[in-house]
Amino acid sequence: MSTYEKTRAWCRPADLPEERLALFRQRLSGGLTRKGSDMEPEEQIYHEAMIASIRSEMNRIGGFISIPYAVFLTDRAGVILELVCSSPELREELIRTEFGTGISLCRQHSGLNAVSLAMEMDCIGVVRGDEHSDPAFAEWNCICAPLQADGRTYGYVDISFHKKEQIEFAIPFVQQIAENITGKWMERNPGIREHRLESRFQHYRLSAREQDVARQWLLEKSALHISNELGISEGTVRNVLKNIYSKMRVSDRLQFIKKLTGDID
């Protein structure tokens, strides 16, 4: 991290040391297209969750933004996953200028922009008009916030307005959007929740039968209900639960639930 003001939660190009700013001025290698098939399954789950969340978030608040805007959602490498605009015409214009999904906004491919600055400084990046390396962004003021949770950065969200608009007011707004996205997709998204549960099952080495019982027990179903649901005896259910408790080192359902939904000990 450079020596920009530590009391500020955002940075601008002027906060970069000259040697690091020089890296953004190097010859660009052009946009990078990344296909879904190039991703690991876990990464694909997170991406789908982030895309669903940004769509939901902008549907909720987009009508309250009175000026034209464009929202770029990228993965942690700066590759655009989703583009949300205030109008279909603006979206088409950006896609024509090669700012659609699959295009990289990282420093190596697009030089200086709010996404690459946020990636470099690990905080909200603010880049105005002519500060951008790419002339296509010269008419835009942009703010980008990292999407962070559990000590990890999962992606970035950038909101761009015309350069005539003041953007300082939007910095806390963008930060709130980022926090809403991570809160929603990390805590509520079905795909993320299922992935986490599967990871816990693997961590505790639960067999397929134990996983079936554990899912029902997690929903606070009775042993009798589980036996009817799975077509096994109630006694078998209780024996399976004993094995689960032993593997997870818990003694009651509350501890069981906490270990499957909270931090792994």
Side-chain angles (χ1 to χ4, degrees), residues 55-75:
R55 289 174 179 172
S56 175
E57 186 70 11
M58 295 314 298
N59 282 338
R60 185 179 69 84
I61 66 173
F64 298 102
I65 304 176
S66 60
I67 57 179
Y69 67 85
V71 175
F72 297 96
L73 172 72
T74 82
D75 65 10

Side-chain angles (χ1 to χ4, degrees), residues 162-173:
H162 191 272
K163 68 178 182 180
K164 68 181 181 181
E165 305 292 346
Q166 295 295 319
I167 59 173
E168 285 80 1
F169 78 93
I171 293 172
F173 175 68

Side-chain angles (χ1 to χ4, degrees), residues 113-183:
N113 56 65
V115 173
S116 62
L117 183 60
M119 293 174 68
E120 182 78 10
M121 302 291 274
D122 194 30
C123 70
I124 294 176
V126 178
V127 180
R128 295 172 172 83
D130 293 336
E131 292 177 334
H132 291 92
S133 297
D134 194 322
F137 273 127
E139 298 299 313
W140 293 87
N141 286 339
C142 306
I143 309 168
C144 178
L147 298 175
Q148 297 174 327
D150 300 330
R152 295 172 59 186
T153 298
Y154 293 90
Y156 299 85
V157 59
D158 173 292
I159 297 188
S160 300
F161 306 98
H162 191 272
K163 68 178 182 180
K164 68 181 181 181
E165 305 292 346
Q166 295 295 319
I167 59 173
E168 285 80 1
F169 78 93
I171 293 172
F173 175 68
V174 174
Q175 179 62 39
Q176 186 62 59
I177 290 175
E179 292 174 0
N180 288 346
I181 292 171
T182 53

